[in-house]
Amino acid sequence: MKKVLIPVTNHATLGDTNQANGTYAPELTHVIHELNVAGVDYDIASINGGKAPLYGTDIAGDDVNNTIIADEGFQSRINNTIPVQQLNVDNYQAIFYPGGFGLLTDLAKNEDFAHLSAKHYEEGGVLAAVCHGPAALLPITLSSGKPLLAGISVTGFTREEEIDFGTINDIPFLLEEALARKAARYSKVQPWGNFIIEDKNVITGQNPSSAHAVGQALVKKLT
């Protein structure tokens, strides 16, 4: 059975504020839904392991989110994430980074996951990320010494969306700017529109409404 590694943040607040945060649940659950439908397994990991912080777990009318959140298998994985030091990346065919603001504080600069992702990518694996998830691609350096993003077109959460969401003054850094400076090309559509980019073996989605399409694109790569 194909298997996807899902690294999530351990950081439970928005930047240095006391606002509860972590991984934004719908960006995780909508992709997991697609994996489940396709019969693709997954593990959830984090830098430190253990219970990972989630927010957006009770969104009215989001049946996919509610169903996955209520699933015992999912709860077991999210409450007992695998520490990065215990991972063997050779066991996975893809790595998926869901968004949420938490990872701007840890995964966006974590060298352990960056090394695993570089090895995985150079051996033909797929990398996927949505919303703020592409921040985890920033520290990935290939064996050539070049940043992964230097040769890749990507999207990610936009400045306009940060303003709309009321987070522009609290985020550790502006993801759009960081991606635009490092990636071969950064592209976006109107705020909150469904938009994904596939370039080589990298799939990125702009915002929460793009998670479903990222999941579908990921499954298509694996099946």
Side-chain angles (χ1 to χ4, degrees), residues 1-4 34-42 219 222-223:
M1 180 183 278
K2 297 285 179 68
K3 202 170 201 182
V4 176
E34 293 299 321
L35 299 181
N36 288 344
V37 169
V40 176
D41 199 8
Y42 67 95
V219 164
L222 295 178
T223 54

Side-chain angles (χ1 to χ4, degrees), residues 1 13 43 48 70 77 82 114 123 131 150 181 197 200 207:
M1 180 183 278
T13 64
D43 284 334
N48 301 322
R77 289 172 172 92
I82 304 167
E123 292 176 355
C131 199
R181 286 179 180 278
I197 292 177
K200 302 184 179 75
N207 49 36

Side-chain angles (χ1 to χ4, degrees), residues 121-196:
Y121 179 76
E122 292 193 313
E123 292 176 355
V126 178
L127 300 178
V130 68
C131 199
H132 287 91
L137 306 179
L138 291 166
I140 299 174
T141 302
L142 303 178
S143 56
S144 64
K146 293 183 178 179
L148 165 78
L149 288 174
I152 301 290
S153 291
V154 295
T155 187
F157 206 60
T158 70
R159 184 177 188 275
E160 292 87 355
E161 288 164 336
E162 296 284 7
I163 291 169
D164 288 354
F165 211 61
T167 46
I168 189 76
N169 295 321
D170 293 326
I171 46 175
F173 64 91
L174 182 61
L175 179 59
E176 175 178 334
E177 182 183 17
L179 292 174
R181 286 179 180 278
K182 202 159 194 175
R185 174 176 296 200
Y186 170 86
S187 302
K188 63 184 178 182
V189 296
Q190 290 284 325
W192 312 109
N194 174 15
F195 181 56
I196 73 167

Side-chain angles (χ1 to χ4, degrees), residues 66-85:
N66 295 337
T67 299
I68 298 294
I69 293 292
D71 178 71
E72 287 185 11
F74 171 78
Q75 284 295 331
S76 175
R77 289 172 172 92
I78 199 70
N79 289 320
N80 301 279
T81 64
I82 304 167
V84 64
Q85 302 295 352

